[in-house]
Amino acid sequence: MRMVKTSRIVEIRWHGRGGQGVVLANQLIGMALFEEGKNIQTFPDFGPERTGGPVRGYTRFSEDPIDIHSSVYEPDILAVIDPYLAEDPSVYVGLKPEGVAVVNSAKNPGDLKKKLGLNVKTLGVVDAARISKEVFGAYVFNTPVLGGLVRLTGIVRLETLEKLFLNRFPGRVGELNVKMLKRGYEEVAAQ
Amino acid sequence: MMAEALARQHRIALTGNDAVAYAVKQANVDVISAYPITPQTFVVETLSRYVNDGELNAKYINVESEHSALSAVIGASLAGARTFTATASQGLAYMWEALYAASGLRLPIVMALAARALSAPINIHNDHSDFFGMRDAGWIMFNGEEAQETYDLTIMAFKIAEDPRVLLPVVVSYDGFIVSHAITNFYALNDDVVKEFLGVRTTGPKIDPDNPRSYGVLALQDSYFEFKRQQYEAMENARQVIQEVFKKYGEISGRNYRPLKEYMTSDAETCIVAMGSTVGTARHAVKNLREKGEKVGVVGILQYRPWPVKEAEQLFSRFKRIIVMEKVMSPGARAGPVYEDITATLYPNYNVKMIDFIYGLGGRDIPAQGVIDIYKRGKELADKGKTDKAYFYGVRGE
């Protein structure tokens, strides 16, 4: 399952709520791309930062230097880590029809696609609530979705992200995050 | 990049703020004093961590305001130290009187500015109002487009400031949030390379108890003007020194800087002029426009003061139309500051149709399509000769 590259600069947009780890997941995918030799640009949305409020993050990557410096309006890849936002059609605005969306949801991807009336090539769902409860004993939404995103897009190797997680969170927290990452990778259901 | 130059550096990914802090650490400054302000705060947070962890052997002075931060750095610089401070927006405004003291005392202070809008209304996002507010303070003024330029300019700033022909403070500005908070990859020189390039500060004032002198003296009608005349000359000297430093740095790094950055200008009929991160977005837009056959190029302003008069004259006189994009407004003026600099440069050989656009105030995003819109509208206005005022782009309802 590889995404079709439509432009030389690939754009990713993350949606979630303050405190769910949008900024971290966005940074980690950016750093993984950097580790694999890509040119990257990864930045949070510059709106007010409040726990619980909607938060966005953006990453661009390319084999060539990236010159554009605006927000991302027409992403190739969309990740939604909040299960309620995942059912809000407005977060999908601008997503390229040939792109990939990966969202945190317990729903069947076909049903969700229909419910949203979504015109996108691939919609993947990861039940991050169930995975994180089982692995971590608490809700962690960003890591399992990140795993699903890697599987559906193939933009980085899973091992690169595993290393970054272990560096960032040495010890048990890192190991459990790697477990959640892998579960997301394996269990993502796409349509 | 040449293999030789590549061996002198390493690939790294940092935010713009951390790129500045990294450069300042490598410059091995002696004294840092700053007061936190969004979006600059991470620069001094990272630097205080370097100092605390023993990675940088510098004195970090905590102060209660930006006025005190620059004043502390002025004192340290007078004592012969290599000094650094950083600020943004209201913080820079609060430094105002000390800005003139720093340049008047001929101190080679380096300051980072994460450019941000000014109150009121309060806004933490990027425009260039703070930067242009210090236009006449006698500082050398650079503008980095992204982390790479900002890092390189920060290192070169010390070399330029400390040159005995110059001895003036330097500000390196970069766009708040857009650059300050974005992680991007760039090449950083190895520590030993920066150490060799910059050495230690040996020039400028140095308070010495064994050789007492007066600095910051009262100079009235009989001598003030002479001080100012010399300060003016120092800024003129900076033109040559900047050129030399750019050249030397280019030999080391493989990155060759020029005061004005050109993109697809050689056969362009219309030139878009911008500063900061918009320069990159404009290049992106121009790539698109070129594919549609539009003869358009971009000029990015890297060196604002001293204004590169000769380069600007040579370059800007080539075009039929110039569209200036400014993230600042000067209410009541004919147009924005960059527009006025360019027209003053071209006078009296003024055959170019020039259009000024005020855009992006308070962080209003400018996508590539925005630059394309400005180009189309600007071209039309220029051809109709409607050059009598500045235009706004991106205001709701306009």
Side-chain angles (χ1 to χ4, degrees):
Chain A
M1 285 186 278
R2 295 250 158 191
M3 56 167 290
V4 183
K5 279 193 187 175
T6 53
S7 55
R8 289 193 306 140
I9 298 173
V10 181
E11 296 183 314
I12 310 173
R13 192 172 73 204
W14 291 81
H15 292 266
R17 293 186 178 279
Q20 290 177 339
V22 161
V23 173
L24 179 67
N26 185 44
Q27 261 184 27
L28 287 171
I29 196 74
M31 290 309 288
L33 288 157
F34 166 74
E35 292 291 338
E36 295 190 4
K38 299 285 193 297
N39 290 300
I40 60 142
Q41 195 186 74
T42 176
F43 52 106
D45 188 61
F46 308 130
E49 288 164 25
R50 289 182 300 251
T51 300
V55 170
R56 281 176 292 182
Y58 310 103
T59 290
R60 291 191 172 93
F61 68 94
S62 175
E63 300 292 338
D64 303 309
I66 299 166
D67 48 17
I68 196 160
H69 287 281
S70 66
S71 295
V72 169
Y73 297 95
E74 294 178 351
D76 303 271
I77 301 166
L78 187 85
V80 188
I81 67 172
D82 179 78
Y84 297 99
L85 285 179
E87 298 191 22
D88 176 354
S90 73
V91 303
Y92 298 87
V93 168
L95 174 62
K96 290 198 177 107
E98 64 277 21
V100 178
V102 190
V103 307
N104 173 15
S105 173
K107 289 207 161 73
N108 167 294
D111 294 345
L112 186 58
K113 220 174 184 177
K114 203 178 283 171
K115 188 185 170 212
L116 289 163
L118 201 60
N119 172 31
V120 63
K121 193 176 160 204
T122 308
L123 174 69
V125 300
V126 178
D127 191 351
R130 187 174 50 79
I131 292 173
S132 57
K133 265 290 194 196
E134 285 173 17
V135 176
F136 203 72
Y139 289 139
V140 176
F141 290 164
N142 56 354
T143 310
V145 173
L146 196 51
L149 184 146
V150 172
R151 172 79 175 277
L152 294 182
T153 63
I155 55 174
V156 289
R157 284 178 297 123
L158 201 60
E159 303 84 72
T160 310
L161 268 172
E162 286 174 23
K163 265 187 223 159
L164 287 172
F165 266 107
L166 293 172
N167 278 338
R168 187 92 174 214
F169 307 104
R172 194 174 141 72
V173 173
E175 284 161 23
L176 292 179
N177 266 288
V178 167
K179 211 174 245 182
M180 288 188 282
L181 185 73
K182 283 180 171 165
R183 287 274 307 266
Y185 184 91
E186 283 153 15
E187 294 174 26
V188 61
Q191 186 161 337
Chain B
M1 198 185 295
M2 300 280 284
E4 246 176 64
L6 204 55
R8 294 189 195 99
Q9 41 205 324
H10 51 281
R11 191 172 172 265
I12 192 169
L14 296 173
T15 63
N17 278 337
D18 280 348
V20 169
Y22 198 77
V24 171
K25 180 182 78 158
Q26 291 185 309
N28 198 19
V29 298
D30 304 304
V31 176
I32 300 158
S33 183
Y35 189 81
I37 184 166
T38 302
Q40 165 279 126
T41 304
F42 288 103
V43 177
V44 290
E45 250 182 52
T46 300
L47 280 169
S48 68
R49 201 183 65 231
Y50 286 146
V51 172
N52 182 61
D53 295 352
E55 287 182 64
L56 171 60
N57 181 21
K59 177 80 184 163
Y60 188 101
I61 306 172
N62 277 307
V63 287
E64 84 297 348
S65 76
E66 287 84 358
H67 188 279
S68 297
L70 186 54
S71 299
V73 160
I74 285 172
S77 190
L78 274 170
R82 180 173 285 166
T83 58
F84 175 80
T85 186
T87 193
S89 182
Q90 307 307 120
L92 180 67
Y94 198 15
M95 280 182 180
W96 199 73
E97 68 165 359
L99 290 174
Y100 284 73
S103 57
L105 283 161
R106 307 289 305 280
L107 298 174
I109 293 164
V110 173
M111 176 163 73
L113 176 71
R116 165 185 151 180
L118 288 166
S119 291
I122 196 160
N123 180 296
I124 57 168
H125 294 287
N126 167 247
D127 66 36
H128 298 149
S129 304
D130 49 4
F131 179 81
F132 284 105
M134 67 180 292
R135 184 186 68 174
D136 300 327
W139 287 53
I140 292 169
M141 298 173 74
F142 291 119
N143 222 282
E145 178 181 322
E146 22 70 327
Q148 180 76 71
E149 281 189 5
T150 308
Y151 166 85
D152 288 335
L153 286 167
T154 303
I155 288 177
M156 288 189 280
F158 289 99
K159 188 88 174 164
I160 294 161
E162 292 172 12
D163 190 288
R165 292 166 287 176
V166 178
L167 290 170
L168 286 173
V170 181
V171 63
V172 177
S173 167
Y174 52 106
D175 287 353
F177 285 103
I178 301 167
V179 177
S180 72
H181 282 53
I183 299 172
T184 54
N185 54 287
F186 62 98
Y187 284 95
L189 295 174
N190 299 337
D191 289 354
D192 58 325
V193 176
V194 178
K195 201 174 168 188
E196 201 191 315
F197 179 69
L198 289 181
V200 293
R201 184 186 149 193
T202 54
T203 58
K206 188 172 170 37
I207 292 172
D208 180 1
D210 295 329
N211 181 21
R213 292 180 184 207
S214 294
Y215 292 102
V217 294
L218 180 73
L220 298 179
Q221 300 95 317
D222 63 339
S223 56
Y224 179 88
F225 209 177
E226 282 68 31
F227 277 99
K228 288 291 143 184
R229 180 70 183 86
Q230 287 180 45
Q231 188 187 326
Y232 191 95
E233 208 51 35
M235 185 64 90
E236 288 303 309
N237 291 345
R239 299 177 191 285
Q240 173 67 22
V241 173
I242 291 167
Q243 208 174 28
E244 289 170 18
V245 172
F246 281 2
K247 187 163 183 285
K248 176 108 187 283
Y249 195 84
E251 285 162 8
I252 293 169
S253 68
R255 291 182 292 280
N256 296 296
Y257 286 99
R258 295 177 67 183
L260 301 171
K261 302 178 283 180
E262 295 177 50
Y263 180 74
M264 292 200 167
T265 49
S266 57
D267 66 336
E269 291 176 356
T270 307
C271 170
I272 298 168
V273 181
M275 202 178 80
S277 61
T278 304
V279 180
T281 308
R283 281 201 305 274
H284 196 85
V286 161
K287 257 179 241 167
N288 264 304
L289 288 165
R290 282 276 173 176
E291 280 167 18
K292 295 184 179 90
E294 298 290 329
K295 286 193 165 181
V296 52
V298 180
V299 170
I301 292 159
L302 180 110
Q303 176 187 322
Y304 183 61
R305 285 292 179 269
W307 175 251
V309 178
K310 274 188 190 151
E311 292 88 344
E313 191 176 6
Q314 228 171 22
L315 178 59
F316 290 123
S317 56
R318 292 211 303 256
F319 307 111
K320 280 189 192 164
R321 310 173 197 91
I322 297 173
I323 299 165
V324 185
M325 294 176 63
E326 310 210 52
K327 261 190 195 174
V328 62
M329 66 172 191
S330 179
R334 163 70 184 74
V338 174
Y339 184 101
E340 293 190 342
D341 277 313
I342 296 172
T343 49
T345 304
L346 294 179
Y347 181 85
N349 303 314
Y350 193 96
N351 301 316
V352 188
K353 291 272 186 271
M354 282 189 55
I355 298 288
D356 202 39
F357 272 99
I358 298 162
Y359 79 103
L361 298 189
R364 180 136 317 164
D365 195 34
I366 184 84
Q369 186 57 47
V371 180
I372 292 171
D373 292 346
I374 285 176
Y375 166 73
K376 287 182 177 162
R377 210 175 131 208
K379 192 177 163 190
E380 200 185 306
L381 289 165
D383 290 345
K384 285 182 182 164
K386 293 189 171 177
T387 58
D388 58 322
K389 60 170 186 176
Y391 295 89
F392 284 84
Y393 176 79
V395 178
R396 259 199 308 282
E398 269 193 39

